[in-house]
Amino acid sequence: MIKLEEVTKDYVLDQDVVFAALKGVNVEIKDGEFTSIIGPSGSGKSTLMHIIGLLDQPTTGKVIVREKDISKLNDDELSTLRSEVVGFVFQQFNLINKLTVIENILLPTIYARKKFDYDPKEKALYLLERFGIKGKEYSYPNKISGGQQQRVAIARALIMNPDLILADEPTGNLDTKTGDEIMKLLKELNDEQKITVVIVTHEPDIAAKTNRSIRIVDGKVV
Amino acid sequence: MNYFFLILKSAFFDFNRNKGRTILTSLGILIGVLSVVLLTAFGLGLKKYISDQFESLGTNNLRIVPGKPLQGGSFSGSVAAIRFDERDFQNLKRVKNLQFVIPIFTSSVEVIVSKHKESSTLYSTTNDIFAGLNLKTTYGELFTKNDDEKRSKVAVIGPKIAEKLFGTAQSAVGQPIKVSGSSFKVVGVLESKGGGFGGPDLDSYVYIPSKTGYLFNTDKKFVAFIVKAKDSANLEVAKTDLKSALLKRYKDDQFSIIEQTEILNAVSSIFSILNTVLVAIAAISLVVGGIGIMNIMYVTVSERIKEIGIRRALGARKMDILSQFLIESVILSLFGGVLGLGLAAVIVFFIRAFFPAYIDLQSVVLALGVSSGIGIVFGVLPAKKAADLSPIEAIRYE
Ligand SMILES: Nc1ncnc2c1ncn2[C@@H]1O[C@H](COP(=O)(O)OP(=O)(O)O)[C@@H](O)[C@H]1O
Ligand SMILES: [Mg+2]
């Protein structure tokens, strides 16, 4: 579904000091996969994930989403594609604390261009129930536990019915038990709903739970 | 979930969290709107006040005065100042279709009762002045044509000066007053015409019969005539006839025949210009308020970079971010505008007790429109900055 060809990413640190975070990466994520991207800290995992998730563009190389080169897309088209294809889950949850749980989950829908063939609010309530946080819909994110926050973030990632969930160290801020629960939940989504899941992690234990691992070291896939 | 609901909720959450900052920022707009609306209200009030004053001076009146006072520089330039005399009075009286011709001599005088001294304007004129200017007495009588013939030393005085000199208007009747050294008997006290506020203080005038006034007017000249036509339809005809009567003696540019409405328009336009200038100056404070909003919106944007990044990751377009921050700055500005308008309304309400200031619909629409406009104009740069943030840098921002 998403293919990266010879992708590089340079960060300009100073006038002529350039840091190569990605050095020619070829990766293909296939429909329905449950994959991890593993590598030590600073190896370029997040950079890679942001490029896969259309948040960032490569310095050189191609990103192909569903057979389409996205380099020709403008900012609005990228935003729309991002909203319809990708759901992000972050290590720090990245919920908006001034909105309630249900409002956070529904936030992507206010930016949506597509017509919904389902009721997003119903879906949000269903997800909350499914994730065992029913009753928290009108709580504010900073008033619930980390595990619950990450569930809300996953519900938010799912609200648009994306094809791909990109999770950047989703268990990084959670204790082992809660982390395992989150991993189980992601696995279930993959099994039951055939949603493609890519998990970025530096922990081999987490990577071991996925079906495929892409190992990245110093900006290169090894 | 409603787009605007979530944007407004997020905006109000931030306003609430930063109450002090929000109020201070709105204060800039508040003061701007307050001063513009108040000044406009005063201007409107002044206009109304002036036209009321002229109305009270009687309509259908023509004033004949020397020079061209309504064309700037009354007696200046090459035109020699003229002063009207008895011969002019008689000539004018012969013009057809006039109700009356009233000769007027005025001078500034000091009026003394025992030790009490007040300055006043003395009108030496015929008894027709009372009908011509709609003057009536509250106490006592008006002087008569007979008083004029007999050069009686009687005076009809305004209620304000009566109160100043005698304590009450009523007690003035029948009492002697000294006007520039000569003794007069007060025969009547007039009804109040209002006034003051820089306009003529009509309630402090002293009226004496025209011929009696020759005491002070030794060369028997008049500064003006008030002429009333038999009816308003004859006003234009009367004007033409009066003009040809005067042209026998004077050149065209040595006198003017002015309708009340012309004076009204001239005075009003002077005040309008003055008011516009004041409002324009007050409007500068709106610009200052707008800069305050711009400043705070830049702060807000830099405080919420992470939030912007999250929204972008969730599919928000640049336009969505731009409108979110524009809406916030408009709310901020409109908030100040509404408060300013409300405060202006309260102040005007109290001022109305002694001055006819008022806020018209146009001011309301303008105040709200302008404050929204300021929100947009001064919000657009910060909002654009927010929208142009790279999503990835925004979300990585800590
Ligand atoms: N915006 C940036 N500017 C400069 N350097 C960056 C930026 N983002 C990431 N980097 C650098 O790129 C490298 C890879 O970063 P990242 O993709 O976040 O790694 P990982 O997620 O594997 O820890 C790191 O060395 C990091 O310091
Ligand atoms: Mg990372």
Side-chain angles (χ1 to χ4, degrees):
Chain A
M1 77 178 295
I2 293 190
K3 206 156 88 182
L4 270 57
E5 291 176 0
E6 289 303 322
V7 162
T8 69
K9 181 73 189 180
D10 295 341
Y11 290 114
V12 181
L13 300 180
D14 207 347
Q15 263 173 341
D16 8 66
V17 187
V18 173
F19 176 79
L22 295 177
K23 304 164 182 166
V25 172
N26 292 288
V27 170
E28 182 172 5
I29 310 287
K30 293 213 175 71
D31 279 332
E33 270 191 319
F34 191 60
T35 308
S36 57
I37 297 173
I38 181 159
S41 188
S43 54
K45 305 182 295 295
S46 294
T47 305
L48 180 61
M49 191 200 90
H50 293 142
I51 290 175
I52 295 173
L54 312 174
L55 262 180
D56 204 0
Q57 271 120 54
T59 309
T60 63
K62 268 190 192 163
V63 178
I64 294 152
V65 179
R66 293 206 184 109
E67 258 84 75
K68 220 168 98 189
D69 187 348
I70 61 127
S71 61
K72 309 256 173 346
L73 300 185
N74 66 26
D75 195 88
D76 279 5
E77 291 164 329
L78 275 177
S79 300
T80 306
L81 195 60
R82 186 158 65 229
S83 113
E84 286 170 9
V85 176
V86 193
F88 287 98
V89 177
F90 301 93
Q91 180 176 355
Q92 315 87 335
F93 323 132
N94 283 350
L95 299 173
I96 293 179
N97 282 328
K98 52 194 174 183
L99 301 180
T100 61
V101 161
I102 188 96
E103 287 163 354
N104 264 285
I105 297 175
L106 290 169
L107 193 55
T109 65
I110 72 165
Y111 298 123
R113 282 285 157 100
K114 70 168 188 184
K115 272 254 166 274
F116 290 93
D117 50 10
Y118 55 92
D119 177 7
K121 177 137 189 197
E122 236 162 61
K123 183 173 168 107
L125 292 170
Y126 160 76
L127 288 170
L128 283 171
E129 181 163 11
R130 161 103 207 257
F131 295 173
I133 43 175
K134 195 179 170 206
K136 298 283 182 197
E137 18 311 34
Y138 301 106
S139 303
Y140 284 87
N142 47 5
K143 298 282 192 296
I144 58 176
S145 73
Q148 290 173 329
Q149 288 190 54
Q150 198 59 300
R151 284 164 218 261
V152 173
I154 295 172
R156 181 179 66 183
L158 288 169
I159 195 69
M160 294 289 293
N161 273 351
D163 303 321
L164 173 66
I165 295 279
L166 288 174
D168 193 351
E169 314 248 10
T171 63
N173 276 9
L174 302 172
D175 59 69
T176 320
K177 185 172 163 283
T178 318
D180 285 348
E181 283 165 20
I182 294 295
M183 282 304 291
K184 212 175 123 233
L185 210 146
L186 290 169
K187 177 75 184 142
E188 278 170 20
L189 292 173
N190 176 253
D191 281 346
E192 293 167 19
Q193 296 176 40
K194 304 287 166 259
I195 297 174
T196 314
V197 176
V198 176
I199 295 164
V200 170
T201 183
H202 64 273
E203 294 175 70
D205 290 359
I206 301 288
K209 294 193 167 100
T210 61
N211 300 339
R212 175 164 82 112
S213 286
I214 299 163
R215 178 165 296 275
I216 180 165
V217 177
D218 288 340
K220 277 196 196 121
V221 174
V222 294
Chain B
M1 185 78 33
N2 189 293
Y3 186 81
F4 286 102
F5 173 77
L6 281 191
I7 282 180
L8 291 181
K9 176 164 182 184
S10 147
F12 280 104
F13 183 95
D14 281 300
F15 294 153
N16 196 41
R17 184 173 49 192
N18 305 304
K19 275 193 202 78
R21 185 168 94 186
T22 305
I23 288 167
L24 282 178
T25 308
S26 305
L27 202 61
I29 300 295
L30 187 156
I31 291 169
V33 168
L34 177 67
S35 41
V36 169
V37 171
L38 269 189
L39 280 170
T40 310
F42 273 118
L44 290 169
L46 199 60
K47 237 192 186 140
K48 178 158 168 38
Y49 174 79
I50 292 167
S51 68
D52 285 353
Q53 287 300 303
F54 274 97
E55 204 102 300
S56 75
L57 291 181
T59 41
N60 291 342
N61 284 349
L62 295 171
R63 268 173 197 253
I64 300 174
V65 296
K68 293 284 174 197
L70 291 188
Q71 291 160 24
S74 46
F75 306 111
S76 62
S78 56
V79 185
I82 55 157
R83 292 173 77 205
F84 301 116
D85 58 17
E86 183 67 26
R87 213 175 113 199
D88 297 316
F89 182 36
Q90 296 309 328
N91 284 342
L92 291 173
K93 279 213 281 198
R94 277 195 285 275
V95 173
K96 282 193 284 285
N97 287 322
L98 300 183
Q99 211 174 319
F100 41 62
V101 177
I102 309 165
I104 291 172
F105 172 80
T106 63
S107 59
S108 292
V109 291
E110 301 227 292
V111 182
I112 303 172
V113 172
S114 55
K115 288 268 173 307
H116 200 123
K117 204 173 351 173
E118 287 292 336
S119 39
S120 171
T121 302
L122 181 77
Y123 264 66
S124 310
T125 184
T126 56
N127 64 311
D128 286 333
I129 191 88
F130 303 118
L133 300 187
N134 279 326
L135 300 169
K136 293 179 189 68
T137 54
T138 334
Y139 303 108
E141 304 284 312
L142 298 168
F143 63 71
T144 60
K145 198 175 168 113
N146 197 22
D147 288 323
D148 194 26
E149 300 297 324
K150 292 197 307 194
R151 305 195 179 195
S152 309
K153 292 177 86 178
V154 293
V156 172
I157 64 177
K160 198 161 146 193
I161 190 164
E163 276 171 37
K164 279 184 181 166
L165 292 170
F166 297 99
T168 64
Q170 196 165 11
S171 57
V173 180
Q175 298 297 311
I177 54 174
K178 257 199 155 69
V179 178
S180 292
S182 301
S183 201
F184 285 80
K185 188 175 113 184
V186 177
V187 291
V189 178
L190 294 169
E191 274 176 5
S192 174
K193 281 264 169 188
F197 295 117
D201 189 5
L202 301 170
D203 286 350
S204 290
Y205 284 180
V206 171
Y207 297 88
I208 59 169
S210 182
K211 293 206 169 88
T212 318
Y214 290 158
L215 264 172
F216 311 108
N217 181 14
T218 43
D219 50 2
K220 300 180 185 176
K221 299 280 189 184
F222 305 114
V223 294
F225 293 105
I226 293 178
V227 179
K228 189 157 182 132
K230 283 227 171 75
D231 61 67
S232 61
N234 282 328
L235 207 60
E236 282 311 308
V237 184
K239 215 172 159 179
T240 320
D241 293 346
L242 289 165
K243 190 171 175 178
S244 35
L246 285 168
L247 280 174
K248 286 178 192 149
R249 255 185 107 184
Y250 304 113
K251 285 208 269 303
D252 185 38
D253 55 3
Q254 284 179 309
F255 65 91
S256 304
I257 303 174
I258 306 164
E259 283 177 55
Q260 292 289 18
T261 50
E262 286 180 78
I263 307 177
L264 178 61
N265 290 343
V267 175
S268 293
S269 77
I270 291 168
F271 279 110
S272 288
I273 291 167
L274 202 68
N275 196 241
T276 308
V277 170
L278 284 176
V279 167
I281 292 169
I284 293 173
S285 63
L286 276 174
V287 175
V288 176
I291 292 169
I293 286 196
M294 178 145 82
N295 190 30
I296 232 60
M297 287 311 293
Y298 271 124
V299 174
T300 305
V301 169
S302 59
E303 280 173 353
R304 286 159 66 191
I305 291 178
K306 184 88 178 179
E307 177 195 327
I308 295 164
I310 295 170
R311 288 177 187 269
R312 294 284 270 140
L314 300 180
R317 286 167 298 268
K318 285 185 173 194
M319 202 54 208
D320 294 315
I321 303 296
L322 185 87
S323 33
Q324 177 182 348
F325 284 94
L326 266 189
I327 287 169
E328 286 191 22
S329 70
V330 169
I331 291 173
L332 204 57
S333 176
L334 205 54
F335 177 66
V338 169
L339 287 186
L341 194 60
L343 197 57
V346 171
I347 293 174
V348 165
F349 176 80
F350 284 109
I351 282 174
R352 284 185 67 86
F354 50 91
F355 186 75
Y358 66 99
I359 298 175
D360 62 352
L361 183 68
Q362 206 186 335
S363 303
V364 174
V365 172
L366 211 68
L368 299 181
V370 164
S371 39
S372 313
I374 281 175
I376 292 174
V377 168
F378 290 92
V380 78
L381 282 179
K384 181 126 179 42
K385 184 190 162 189
D388 286 344
L389 286 173
S390 123
I392 187 62
E393 270 161 38
I395 201 151
R396 272 188 189 249
Y397 188 86
E398 284 311 323

